[in-house]
Amino acid sequence: MLPSRNRSAPAPFYEKVKQEISDKIASGIWQAHDRIPSEAELVAQYGFSRMTINRALRELTDEGLLVRLQGVGTFVAEPKGQSALFEIRSIADEIIARQHQHRCEVLTLERTQASALQATALNVAEGTSIFHSIMVHYENDQPVQIEDRCVNAEIVPEYLTQDYSQTTPHAYLSLIAPLTEGEHIVEAVRASAEECALLNIKEHDPCLLIRRRTWSASHIVSHAHLLFPGSRYRLQGRFMS
């Protein structure tokens, strides 16, 4: 065991500054795009060294809470959406939990024959009749996800008849074929020209792609490609050993 004097050692000064700034942002005292005091002003306010203040601001910038513009100042960052990495949740639930508005635009909702890649993903024979959907999810009217999903039609025969302005594919599939297992593969990718247009991003802007498969009992229910604009979204996971 560590000596008690180490366990009770006070937090470093830069951590105290970080905590106070984080608290002001979380409480809404400082809001997105607000300019915060300069390094010199914070030095005068806290009485700590400039090196201490600089480290606190640098780490908060690395963590996505602040944006620093050379010669201009330091500002509160626009909050990024956050998606569960180890937990599978509906994007609508995530957006509503942030007290934002969700809506969905359905681009494709069809029955088709499984290609070789789709058949492999769903563990069915090539040419098997499956369902295919493409949707764009919006947060406060800003596109945040393209969902391209293929579904095992035998397990979820009514998939095409649902109103996806009122529910999400994930919510409906979880109701009809309760999730027992999931798989995530996360990649950094470059979006196509069509995807850039749908997400309202520029060519070469970074994107995150989640390839997600879900099982109910021993059957693969669906396989989805979930594409996020990297500048507006981040993935977070928590696990215990």
Side-chain angles (χ1 to χ4, degrees), residues 38-240:
S38 67
E39 282 191 13
E41 291 169 329
L42 291 173
V43 167
Q45 177 181 335
Y46 288 103
F48 298 147
S49 70
R50 187 151 191 156
M51 182 180 298
T52 295
I53 299 299
N54 180 272
R55 177 168 179 176
L57 297 180
R58 186 174 70 249
E59 291 195 4
L60 287 170
T61 300
D62 292 342
E63 292 167 14
L65 287 181
L66 298 177
V67 175
R68 307 188 74 184
L69 301 178
Q70 186 70 32
V72 179
T74 303
F75 300 84
V76 178
E78 179 75 26
K80 288 188 176 183
Q82 183 168 293
S83 179
L85 179 56
F86 298 106
E87 179 185 3
I88 295 180
R89 297 175 59 196
S90 164
I91 188 171
D93 291 342
E94 295 174 1
I95 291 172
I96 292 169
R98 294 191 286 273
Q99 299 183 331
H100 291 176
Q101 296 295 315
H102 167 266
R103 70 178 176 89
C104 175
E105 180 180 348
V106 179
L107 304 181
T108 299
L109 191 59
E110 64 182 1
R111 180 187 291 271
T112 188
Q113 292 184 325
S115 66
L117 288 176
Q118 291 171 329
T120 299
L122 291 176
N123 194 29
V124 298
E126 185 175 353
T128 297
S129 181
I130 64 170
F131 299 138
H132 176 229
S133 59
I134 302 176
M135 306 178 188
V136 180
H137 295 276
Y138 292 81
E139 180 169 357
N140 293 343
D141 289 325
Q142 187 173 49
V144 293
Q145 185 196 88
I146 299 174
E147 173 188 328
D148 188 334
R149 184 184 298 268
C150 56
V151 176
N152 189 320
E154 185 175 341
I155 298 175
V156 195
E158 302 300 320
Y159 181 77
L160 298 183
T161 65
Q162 305 310 303
D163 181 359
Y164 292 111
S165 67
Q166 302 299 316
T167 188
T168 63
H170 171 76
Y172 176 67
L173 294 174
S174 297
L175 179 66
I176 302 303
L179 177 70
T180 58
E181 185 179 351
E183 174 187 80
H184 276 161
I185 300 174
V186 183
E187 299 179 70
V189 300
R190 178 179 296 176
S192 68
E194 181 181 1
E195 289 167 337
C196 288
L198 291 174
L199 291 174
N200 192 26
I201 60 177
K202 297 178 181 178
E203 187 180 0
H204 305 308
D205 278 359
C207 288
L208 291 174
L209 174 66
I210 298 179
R211 302 180 192 271
R212 175 185 293 170
R213 286 200 297 177
T214 54
W215 282 256
S216 183
S218 60
H219 302 288
I220 299 175
V221 176
S222 79
H223 179 255
H225 286 194
L226 310 174
L227 185 68
F228 302 87
S231 60
R232 297 182 209 138
Y233 238 78
R234 69 180 180 186
L235 300 172
Q236 175 169 315
R238 182 177 180 178
F239 60 91
M240 298 179 64

Side-chain angles (χ1 to χ4, degrees), residues 1-53:
M1 295 182 61
L2 293 173
S4 60
R5 66 177 181 274
N6 288 342
R7 293 202 306 271
S8 60
F13 291 146
Y14 74 88
E15 287 286 1
K16 294 181 180 180
V17 177
K18 284 181 62 179
Q19 188 60 55
E20 287 202 21
I21 293 175
S22 298
D23 289 345
K24 287 182 179 180
I25 294 173
S27 65
I29 296 175
W30 291 346
Q31 300 187 0
H33 311 300
D34 283 353
R35 184 185 182 277
I36 73 167
S38 67
E39 282 191 13
E41 291 169 329
L42 291 173
V43 167
Q45 177 181 335
Y46 288 103
F48 298 147
S49 70
R50 187 151 191 156
M51 182 180 298
T52 295
I53 299 299

